[in-house]
Amino acid sequence: MTDSKNINNPVGQGGGQRKRQSRAERQNNGPHRNRDRQNAADQKAELVRKMREKARAAEETTQADDTAAQS
């Protein structure tokens, strides 16, 4: 039995036929990865938004304390 080195020619692989993979998919860069990247970007945007809100709230608290201390 010969061993194939080409993923699109699964001679001797067993287990039936395999889906032909594009070059991008072989490099783990297929359409599923685009969805993963979009989800990651959405999560990052949400995290940044939350961090900015916390920073803004902390800044307002600090300014309120400074005004109270000056009075």
Side-chain angles (χ1 to χ4, degrees), residues 36-55:
D36 291 344
R37 290 175 125 179
Q38 185 61 45
N39 290 341
D42 292 344
Q43 288 177 350
K44 182 177 179 182
E46 182 70 15
L47 180 63
V48 168
R49 183 186 66 78
K50 287 179 181 180
M51 290 175 65
R52 285 185 179 153
E53 285 180 2
K54 283 184 180 182

Side-chain angles (χ1 to χ4, degrees), residues 2-14:
T2 59
D3 290 325
S4 172
K5 295 189 179 187
N6 182 353
I7 192 159
N8 289 328
N9 185 16
V11 174
Q13 294 291 328

